[in-house]
Amino acid sequence: MTQAQIFAFAVLSGMMVLFIWGRLRYDLVAVLALLTAVFAGIVPHKAAFSGFGDDIVIIVASALVVSAAVERSGIIGATLHRISPKITSVQGQIVVLVTTVTVLSAFVKNIGALAMMIPVAFQMARRSNASPSWFLMPMAFGSLLGGLITLVGTSPNIIVSRMREELTGQPFGIFDFTPVGLGIAVAGVAFLVFGYRLLPGGRKPAATMDEAIDLKDYMTEARVLATSSVVGQTTSDLSKLCDYEILVTGVIRHGPERLSLLPDAVLVEGDIVLLEGDPEALERAVGRAGLELEGEGRVTGGGGAGEVVGIEAVIGATSILVGQTAKRMALHERFNINLLAVSRSGERFTERLRDITLQPGDVLVLKGDLGRFPDKLKELGILPLAEREIRLGNVRQGMLPVAILCGAMALAASGMLPVATAFFTAAVLTVLFGALSLREAYEAIDWPILVMLGALLPVSESIRTTGGADLIAGWVYQFAGTLPSYGSLALMMVATMAVTPFLNNAATVLVMAPIAATFAGQIGSRPDAFLMAVSVGAACDFLTPVGHQCNTLVMGPGGYRFGDYWKLGLPLSFIVVLLGVPLIVLVWPL
């Protein structure tokens, strides 16, 4: 063993120890590994930061932005809303939720697909009086399975594709993963539809900061347009359309006249409906019914590039708004702020939003220029609440993000554009056409993951360039050389699955892929099958809540404990190995 190899193994071992220790975040561990490798001389100074410009980083960041735009569009929730009321059994709901998450994860980042479906799962759980813990972990595992289907579904696929390009000059195509990934995903979803019974029921979700700000009685108003889906329907039809999440407290027609709020009061174009509910429910109601929210059409901001956002704020005792109405204060004309909703504890409003006499302690939803909000709030004497996302009043873009995603997939699959270029273009277009604001786009990017990828790419390369991968592959060959080739393939997949719970899945691939490719060469096999095995193994961490962000995301909402994961994840892991190995051998002959 050469000195360079000793240094490479020392860096690798130290990095794995720090990952397992868990006291330092994975991106900081990756940066420390890179610096150590540079100062040890196994990564050239000129190549130290080459990973940050790698296509992997661009693809992952761009896919996260496009995924966020698809989630923000509301198109998935609107589609499911049409079928979900017809499905009342728990098993039927799990079929819909897990299948939807799995399919979505093939085309958007799996963490984004899961995030957009969690609110739908809670709605279905309430409808069937079931525990969300039965839904969320199967959905998380479904998102991991869906990520196997295409190149952009999960980071390991992207890294493995790059590794193949280095070895053969040709990367994996966007749908090269589909034959193997789709077969595993179908079998996995079939198991989850029945296997959810292995999970504990009745678990309560962990409390969140949003629940601490438990404001469910916001009042807002919205106008019925000619294109609204509720024209000619009754107020009870509007409540039913919104799953009774909101309450219609009044209807105003042709000036200040208020209609009698009988359940059969028919809505016509131009009516103003007074709605009560929490901000998310109000947003869904406005979107589903095709209404125009109060203040939505009024321009805010100073005409420059300032970003328009919605915030919650509480009126202080000395605020100049106390005893005033939004109309008298001319909030929009004087302060360039739109009042979207008002909440007052223990009180239901019967007057229009602009005519409510404001009091200390009232909570407002305001829309305005992010850069000017601090000064305006100070001038008005109102205090912003703890930061949480308020989307009420932000225009959704419907099918546009989906069309952009489909275009990027088509261009990449046809070879007209490289994957990195296609998805980077898609990310820019989502911002350019207003599907996401710049702030939302930056927030959608998982910066720690990108830092880790950029830092570990040169470290991973050093394991190969120093001959360390050859050495490890030789040790593996001594252990597995007597096995048939498919046995060696299974061993590589299982080894990767065993490492993934302790490392980030992307880090696992960066460590295991060079070893797998070198081992394939030593036994006289092509690298494709072994790289596929590593990709599948790294993407399928079903045993712990910490190996993948999707598992972590559902731990709190599902009320899960660390030991709950292996109950459902262990049999699913066996299914992946038992089906994945023969599928890989069939599609990618050894």
Side-chain angles (χ1 to χ4, degrees), residues 417-433:
L417 286 177
V419 176
T421 305
F423 273 81
F424 184 74
T425 302
V428 172
L429 290 177
T430 59
V431 175
L432 189 63
F433 288 111

Side-chain angles (χ1 to χ4, degrees), residues 8 52 65 120 234 237 242 255 328-329 345 386 400 469 550 554 562 584:
F52 293 98
V65 171
V120 180
T234 65
D237 291 331
C242 304
R328 286 202 301 268
M329 286 295 297
S345 179
L400 177 63
C550 290
V554 300
F562 196 97
I584 291 173

Side-chain angles (χ1 to χ4, degrees), residues 2 4-13 15-16 33 37 42-44 163 456-473 475 503 507-516 518:
T2 66
Q5 290 172 345
I6 293 173
F7 284 151
F9 288 140
V11 171
L12 177 62
S13 301
M15 180 181 71
M16 294 186 69
I42 57 176
V43 171
M163 183 65 65
L456 286 191
L457 283 170
V459 176
S460 172
E461 183 69 12
S462 72
I463 298 172
R464 186 176 65 85
T465 56
T466 60
D470 295 331
L471 200 58
I472 296 176
W475 295 338
L503 304 182
T508 299
V509 177
L510 289 168
V511 172
M512 295 297 295
I515 297 171
T518 304

Side-chain angles (χ1 to χ4, degrees), residues 192-461:
L192 292 171
V193 167
F194 298 96
Y196 76 92
R197 294 183 177 90
L198 298 171
L199 293 170
R203 291 279 180 83
K204 294 183 178 180
T208 64
M209 183 59 70
D210 281 1
E211 291 173 351
I213 311 171
D214 189 17
L215 301 171
K216 299 185 181 299
D217 57 347
Y218 275 111
M219 194 284 283
T220 190
E221 61 184 60
R223 185 178 301 276
V224 179
L225 306 176
T227 55
S228 299
S229 61
V230 291
V231 170
Q233 298 189 28
T234 65
T235 54
S236 61
D237 291 331
L238 173 58
S239 297
K240 183 179 179 181
L241 177 67
C242 304
D243 294 331
Y244 301 102
E245 291 183 312
I246 55 98
L247 179 68
V248 183
T249 62
V251 180
I252 298 171
R253 180 176 297 168
H254 307 310
E257 298 296 329
R258 187 186 309 278
L259 295 181
S260 175
L261 258 187
L262 297 174
D264 57 354
V266 178
L267 299 172
V268 299
E269 180 186 356
D271 281 353
I272 295 173
V273 289
L274 307 184
L275 307 174
E276 184 177 297
D278 65 59
E280 290 186 355
L282 291 172
E283 185 207 10
R284 285 192 292 269
V286 170
R288 288 174 186 174
L291 306 174
E292 181 183 66
L293 191 70
E294 161 63 19
E296 189 171 300
R298 292 200 298 260
V299 178
T300 56
E307 182 186 350
V308 176
V309 297
I311 67 164
E312 290 172 298
V314 63
I315 297 179
T318 60
S319 171
I320 62 174
L321 293 178
V322 173
Q324 300 290 332
T325 66
K327 183 178 181 180
R328 286 202 301 268
M329 286 295 297
L331 274 180
H332 178 255
E333 291 78 7
R334 292 175 56 193
F335 299 94
N336 225 2
I337 290 176
N338 288 338
L339 175 63
L340 301 184
V342 177
S343 175
R344 181 179 298 164
S345 179
E347 186 168 338
R348 177 166 293 161
F349 296 108
T350 57
E351 60 264 57
R352 290 197 60 179
L353 194 62
R354 66 189 182 188
D355 296 327
I356 295 174
T357 301
L358 301 173
Q359 299 178 6
D362 287 352
V363 182
L364 316 177
V365 175
L366 303 171
K367 179 180 177 183
D369 188 326
L370 177 63
R372 298 187 177 188
F373 254 137
D375 291 337
K376 298 297 182 183
L377 295 181
K378 183 177 180 180
E379 185 177 354
L380 290 168
I382 54 181
L383 303 172
L385 291 179
E387 183 178 355
R388 64 171 177 167
E389 190 173 17
I390 294 294
R391 293 175 172 177
L392 186 64
N394 292 342
V395 181
R396 292 178 171 223
Q397 294 295 322
M399 289 297 297
L400 177 63
V402 179
I404 291 174
L405 172 63
C406 292
M409 297 282 287
L411 289 171
S414 65
M416 295 179 65
L417 286 177
V419 176
T421 305
F423 273 81
F424 184 74
T425 302
V428 172
L429 290 177
T430 59
V431 175
L432 189 63
F433 288 111
L436 283 182
S437 67
L438 272 174
R439 182 178 61 89
E440 289 172 327
Y442 283 120
E443 289 177 350
I445 297 173
D446 193 339
W447 295 104
I449 289 289
L450 297 190
V451 170
M452 186 198 69
L453 286 173
L456 286 191
L457 283 170
V459 176
S460 172
E461 183 69 12

